[in-house]
Amino acid sequence: MRYRIVEQTRPGGMLEHVYRGVLLPAFPPEEIESESSVADTLDAGLGSLFVAVDGKGKPAGAAFGRWSEASRVQLLTYLAVDPATRGHGLGGRLLHEAMDTWRGRYDPCMILAEVESPDAPAVHEAYGDPRRRLAFYESAGAKILDLPYFQPGIGGPTKRVHGMLLLVLHADPSFTEGRPDRLSGRPLRTFMEAYLESSEGATPTDWDAKSLLKAIGREDGIPMGRNETQR
Ligand SMILES: CC(C)(COP(=O)(O)OP(=O)(O)OC[C@H]1O[C@@H](n2cnc3c(N)ncnc32)[C@H](O)[C@@H]1OP(=O)(O)O)[C@@H](O)C(=O)NCCC(=O)NCCS
């Protein structure tokens, strides 16, 4: 089957079909925001939805990302391929297409992604295998940031998802200057503060959030690469 990748930057169009048919079934409910929240991001001109469609126009995979102008950080919010089509290169194509577009369009400081730790058990076949998923991103050049990371709670801090990793898919060389194994945390702190606030509805002041922001702010930069204990 041949697929072509199309990008949508406005709400409407294929969003409903893609959200309900591709994205929603691929993520545990606590990890995925509502369709209206995705639509709002597109409406604000900050989102991009890449859709892989087959010859009949049916979506088989999608990538959605959100741009943060204040931090100049791009988040790959969701990437999913229909379970029947996984393992045939479509996820890799979507990832490369999205990253090439974002690099050209925004010249971002960083492109990030969140994934479950490989230590997390594979909870449901539809959500994929955390080890293979991490391998997928690492083969695309992603590096794990050594942070006490959690996904901000969608709707409040009690909804946080622990056991997640933050990956850097691309960093402008100015943020790794002199130390290719360290990432300067400046844009990341601005990004993370805004992400926590917009997702959880308020600026968090709890210990976990403070620890995360403190680790991001390390003067010598955030270690990145693969933590041997995670192998
Ligand atoms: C991760 C995912 C997008 C990869 O898409 P894909 O089209 O299968 O990937 P490709 O064919 O380009 O690359 C193959 C690699 O993807 C990964 N992969 C394939 N099937 C997978 C699955 N069921 N679970 C996890 N990773 C898988 C493996 O690393 C595989 O390499 P391998 O065959 O050497 O093990 C897809 O498996 C998926 O939708 N998973 C569920 C949703 C998800 O985890 N999204 C990522 C978080 S944002």
Side-chain angles (χ1 to χ4, degrees):
M1 182 81 76
R2 282 184 172 273
Y3 297 92
R4 77 198 154 85
I5 296 177
V6 290
E7 188 195 3
Q8 177 178 330
T9 55
R10 301 296 307 157
M14 287 188 288
L15 175 60
E16 180 181 329
H17 199 145
V18 169
Y19 181 87
R20 297 179 191 187
V22 178
L23 297 179
L24 198 56
F27 293 91
E30 64 278 13
E31 288 181 27
I32 184 158
E33 66 200 85
S34 65
E35 185 180 335
S36 63
S37 164
V38 172
D40 287 349
T41 300
L42 290 166
D43 199 36
L46 301 174
S48 32
L49 180 67
F50 295 85
V51 187
V53 291
D54 68 16
K56 293 178 179 157
K58 185 173 178 285
F64 174 71
R66 181 175 279 118
W67 170 242
S68 159
E69 182 61 48
S71 58
R72 306 196 58 74
V73 169
Q74 172 72 39
L75 179 67
L76 169 65
T77 319
Y78 307 114
L79 169 65
V81 169
D82 183 87
T85 315
R86 287 179 195 165
H88 293 94
L90 202 51
R93 272 183 65 197
L94 278 161
L95 181 63
H96 285 112
E97 179 83 21
M99 286 185 46
D100 279 355
T101 303
W102 293 331
R103 279 202 203 97
R105 182 176 297 157
Y106 302 123
D107 187 19
C109 298
M110 296 164 197
I111 302 177
L112 305 173
E114 297 164 307
V115 296
E116 284 161 17
S117 159
D119 300 332
V123 285
H124 192 298
E125 206 181 319
Y127 305 150
D129 175 340
R131 281 185 181 274
R132 293 183 71 201
R133 182 166 43 235
L134 182 58
F136 165 82
Y137 282 111
E138 288 190 316
S139 68
K143 291 186 177 164
I144 302 170
L145 293 175
D146 184 8
L147 292 170
Y149 193 68
F150 56 86
Q151 182 179 321
I154 300 171
T158 57
K159 307 273 178 60
R160 286 177 186 168
V161 188
H162 293 274
M164 300 288 284
L165 302 173
L166 188 63
L167 307 182
V168 57
L169 290 163
H170 159 86
D172 184 271
S174 60
F175 295 100
T176 54
E177 231 162 47
R179 292 289 304 269
D181 59 339
R182 300 265 164 166
L183 183 75
S184 159
R186 255 180 304 115
L188 194 52
R189 187 173 173 114
T190 309
F191 166 79
M192 206 60 228
E193 285 173 341
Y195 184 17
L196 281 162
E197 192 177 329
S198 70
S199 191
E200 299 189 345
T203 306
T205 53
D206 61 280
W207 194 84
D208 283 350
K210 280 187 183 157
S211 303
L212 174 57
L213 293 173
K214 191 173 170 203
I216 288 174
R218 276 175 69 144
E219 281 208 354
D220 55 346
I222 306 161
M224 59 176 179
R226 188 129 201 220
N227 180 342
E228 283 306 311
T229 59
Q230 288 166 334
R231 277 187 193 278

